[in-house]
Structures are given as structure tokens and as C-alpha cells.
Amino acid sequence: MEDAPRLEITYPARVPMKIIGRMEELCPDMVLELILAHLGPQADGDEQHQANCKGAFISYTFWITLPDAQAETPLREAIQKLPGVVMQL
């Protein structure tokens, strides 16, 4: 079976980022603070997030604009250190 061709991404790229964590611990304001610290100001309306809750877990989806291919990894590493974070998509 052949591997699917890798999509070429052009930057800047606006992409969704979902952070899943424990409802009692994960705060969307802390996530937004890291997004702004790593990526700078975001497009109008992108500082708002969507939230979904199931049981003891909550997910927050933010739309972010990545300026280049190297910007995503440091941001994800910083978010992973926040209290309550379980997974990122």
C-alpha cells in the first residue's frame, strides 16, 4: 500500500487547535495567554473559543494562525504543561 502524498501547507496558516483536559483544572484563559505569547495577536474573533463538555472532561477549540512551520511545536509544548491538560489535537 502506498503512502498518501503529504499535503503542502502554505504559511501563514489558520488552523484549529483542540485542547482536552480535566474540567476542574483546565482554564481557557491560560491557553489563550500562551497562544498570544507564542503567536502574537490573532485575527478578530479568534480569541474566542468553543467548549464541549463530557463527564469530567472539557475540550476547548481555538482557531490560531501559524506564521511558519516552526511556530506550532513550542506552543504545543507550553500548553501540555498547563494544569489539567490531557490531550491536544
Side-chain angles (χ1 to χ4, degrees):
M1 181 179 229
E2 291 183 39
D3 290 337
R6 190 167 186 96
L7 293 176
E8 187 172 321
I9 300 173
T10 56
Y11 292 93
R14 184 174 179 262
V15 297
M17 177 179 273
K18 181 177 280 197
I19 298 92
I20 302 167
R22 291 181 289 280
M23 191 178 327
E24 302 290 325
E25 297 177 62
L26 184 58
C27 175
D29 293 338
M30 293 187 297
V31 175
L32 179 58
E33 186 177 308
L34 287 175
I35 291 169
L36 295 176
H38 281 81
L39 304 178
Q42 297 294 291
D44 288 342
D46 282 355
E47 292 183 5
Q48 301 297 317
H49 63 275
Q50 293 179 323
N52 287 307
C53 169
K54 184 152 186 160
F57 297 95
I58 191 159
S59 69
Y60 298 108
T61 302
F62 289 88
W63 281 89
I64 60 172
T65 300
L66 298 169
D68 54 53
Q70 291 74 39
E72 186 174 8
T73 299
L75 173 59
R76 288 192 178 274
E77 288 171 351
I79 289 173
Q80 192 61 41
K81 295 176 184 175
L82 290 175
V85 171
V86 174
M87 180 187 311
Q88 299 178 56
L89 304 171

